[in-house]
Amino acid sequence: MVLVTPCDMEQLTNHLAELAQQGLYRSRRIIESPQSILLQIDGNKYINFCSNDYLGLANHPDVIQAFKSAADTYGVGSGSAHLICGHSSAHHALEEELAAFTGRDRALLFSTGYMANMGVIATLVGRSDTVFQDRLNHASLLDGALLSGARFKRYSHADTAQLDELMSNIPAKKLIVSDGVFSMDGDFAPLPALVSIANACKAWLMVDDAHGLGVLGQQGGGVLEHYALNQNDVPILMGTLGKSFGTFGAFVAGSEELIETLIQKARTYIYTTALPAAIAEATRASLKHVIADTWRRDKLNHLIERFKLGAQQLNLPLMPSDSAIQPLMINDSQQAVNISNYLFEQGFLVSAIRPPTVPKGSARLRVTLSALHEEQHIDRLLDVFAKIHKT
Ligand SMILES: *Cc1c(COP(=O)(O)O)cnc(C)c1O
């Protein structure tokens, strides 16, 4: 006797077919090698132009060694949340080093950047408050605002005049949130203007510098170092560790009160297992390289220039970006997928970014560069683009 009829999956089948038809179906490639410039997939090697490992630290021998020896010291699992018994001396040391690195009072580790953003925004604002966000902010920032229940206002990308207008006559607590470097566009947020607006309107300002930290600034201090802004200018800084640090996790840095408030209140901090101590130790090793290896930033900048110049000469649809994220605007989703597949056949991994990750009609190829690329990798990619462009 069947008591419960099985759930009807037909709806899902139809929805999946629809996605496929629109060129929006997503699937994963199975990687058989470490993260690096050459990735192995199905036994073949591909030149990787889609990773966020901008400094090439994900597979660095020092980082691997730190991870291994920390696993010997601490084991693998952290056992519990930070507030129970999961906060090891490795986590604590990393927090202190990240605070020093960012020039802030304190830093607090989160298990992922997604969780950090959700936790921070939902802790700092609530129903009677208002959050202002750039239209192109990362999904985790938008979700944090939704979770908080605050009034949610989005301004056109980098349009500080519009933000200024939106902010007037809002008496309640205000939080302005922006990506530092926009993840799918590669351009920098207009931070000096955001700082002025925040000061003039007595609003809080939060910057998510997932793609700037480690890469921008002489010392790798990110978009805030690039613009010479400090903790007074931007009181809330979020950084991720899975990108230029090459490991995993995230942190928030700011004042003593900010960090203590997050420890008491941020649900995505309190109710989750601490990341493994070995990850924290590996990140301490990678932080040393982030600080010391200025050659990685110099080389990356050189490669960015070379790519941009070559792409300009070919009249490719480059977007206005000076960062390691160099998207080519294709507009049509299916066409972006077709080009990405063609590049794959030619031995290059370049991802097609489609809605809803980017606005409708703005599908693009997101080329990302790494300090471990060589000039010849860039030139070979440009050669294939030249061929595509001609046909
Ligand atoms: C990657 C990213 C995140 C999320 O960080 P994870 O640690 O991967 O969860 C948040 N914000 C931006 C801008 C990102 O690019």
Side-chain angles (χ1 to χ4, degrees):
M1 192 175 60
V2 178
L3 291 177
V4 183
T5 50
C7 190
D8 179 13
M9 290 285 155
E10 202 179 321
Q11 260 185 8
L12 300 187
T13 313
N14 292 342
H15 182 60
L16 289 172
E18 228 169 79
L19 287 176
Q21 207 202 343
Q22 296 164 346
L24 297 178
Y25 202 87
R26 298 165 184 243
S27 45
R28 301 165 301 172
R29 298 199 193 281
I30 301 171
I31 311 297
E32 297 153 354
S33 59
Q35 275 303 314
S36 75
I37 294 308
L38 285 182
L39 289 185
Q40 184 175 311
I41 300 169
D42 215 3
N44 299 312
K45 294 272 199 255
Y46 296 85
I47 303 176
N48 182 3
F49 281 105
C50 51
S51 153
N52 299 317
D53 180 24
Y54 302 121
L55 298 181
L57 293 171
N59 191 35
H60 192 289
D62 293 351
V63 179
I64 296 170
Q65 189 50 49
F67 183 80
K68 283 183 178 165
S69 42
D72 286 338
T73 309
Y74 294 100
V76 175
S78 63
S80 79
H82 284 274
L83 284 167
I84 309 298
C85 61
H87 186 67
S88 71
S89 45
H91 296 112
H92 205 73
L94 176 59
E95 286 182 345
E96 289 178 349
E97 288 160 9
L98 287 170
F101 171 62
T102 55
R104 288 167 178 257
D105 297 351
R106 283 185 66 185
L108 184 71
L109 287 173
F110 280 77
S111 294
T112 70
Y114 209 121
M115 293 168 73
N117 283 339
M118 301 267 285
V120 172
I121 298 174
T123 298
L124 294 182
V125 290
R127 290 199 185 286
S128 48
D129 309 321
T130 310
V131 181
F132 300 83
Q133 295 211 27
D134 189 294
R135 213 163 255 294
L136 297 188
N137 274 355
H138 191 263
S140 55
L141 295 170
L142 306 177
D143 288 357
L146 292 175
L147 179 68
S148 75
R151 278 205 292 165
F152 191 177
K153 299 207 182 271
R154 295 170 79 175
Y155 54 93
S156 305
H157 179 48
D159 188 344
T160 50
Q162 189 191 13
L163 171 63
D164 206 17
E165 221 174 273
L166 286 173
M167 302 248 333
S168 57
N169 299 322
I170 300 213
K173 190 158 78 184
K174 299 180 276 285
L175 172 66
I176 304 171
V177 179
S178 181
D179 277 26
V181 175
F182 286 87
S183 53
M184 298 301 140
D185 296 65
D187 57 333
F188 304 164
L191 284 188
L194 293 182
V195 171
S196 310
I197 294 173
N199 285 338
C201 302
K202 295 198 165 44
W204 283 339
L205 178 57
M206 168 176 179
V207 171
D208 168 345
D209 203 20
H211 298 277
L213 272 176
V215 176
L216 299 178
Q218 270 297 312
Q219 324 284 329
V223 74
L224 299 192
E225 187 190 342
H226 175 81
Y227 284 121
L229 299 169
N230 61 26
Q231 182 176 302
N232 290 331
D233 303 312
V234 178
I236 308 147
L237 171 66
M238 196 289 290
T240 59
L241 303 172
K243 284 157 185 157
S244 60
F245 286 82
T247 60
F248 186 79
F251 69 94
V252 175
S255 69
E256 183 70 30
E257 299 89 324
L258 171 71
I259 299 306
E260 280 303 318
T261 304
L262 293 174
I263 294 173
Q264 313 307 316
K265 298 277 186 194
R267 293 169 66 85
T268 58
Y269 180 77
I270 300 169
Y271 299 107
T272 200
T273 302
L275 56 81
I279 294 281
E281 281 297 336
T283 307
R284 295 182 68 198
S286 98
L287 176 59
K288 290 201 181 92
H289 283 283
V290 167
I291 295 168
D293 297 357
T294 37
W295 68 265
R296 290 176 196 270
R297 281 182 282 280
D298 294 344
K299 180 156 173 231
L300 183 58
N301 283 324
H302 170 73
L303 294 170
I304 293 168
E305 282 313 309
R306 189 174 182 96
F307 178 80
K308 284 178 66 172
L309 190 67
Q312 272 157 13
Q313 284 165 351
L314 293 172
N315 260 325
L316 300 181
L318 264 185
M319 294 173 64
S321 160
D322 293 323
S323 71
I325 302 165
Q326 288 291 327
L328 298 172
M329 183 59 84
I330 305 298
N331 302 118
D332 180 66
S333 291
Q334 192 57 58
Q335 201 186 354
V337 173
N338 292 346
I339 300 175
S340 173
N341 287 341
Y342 177 76
L343 289 167
F344 187 70
E345 286 164 21
Q346 303 297 311
F348 298 90
L349 262 184
V350 177
S351 52
I353 306 287
R354 295 160 283 170
T357 307
V358 292
K360 273 208 181 91
S362 74
R364 65 201 66 180
L365 294 163
R366 180 175 181 267
V367 175
T368 55
L369 303 175
S370 158
L372 293 189
H373 280 121
E374 297 301 339
E375 287 181 352
Q376 52 120 347
H377 295 131
I378 311 269
D379 296 349
R380 279 161 63 190
L381 177 66
L382 287 167
D383 283 347
V384 181
F385 274 127
K387 247 193 281 168
I388 297 172
H389 209 48
K390 264 193 226 128
T391 55

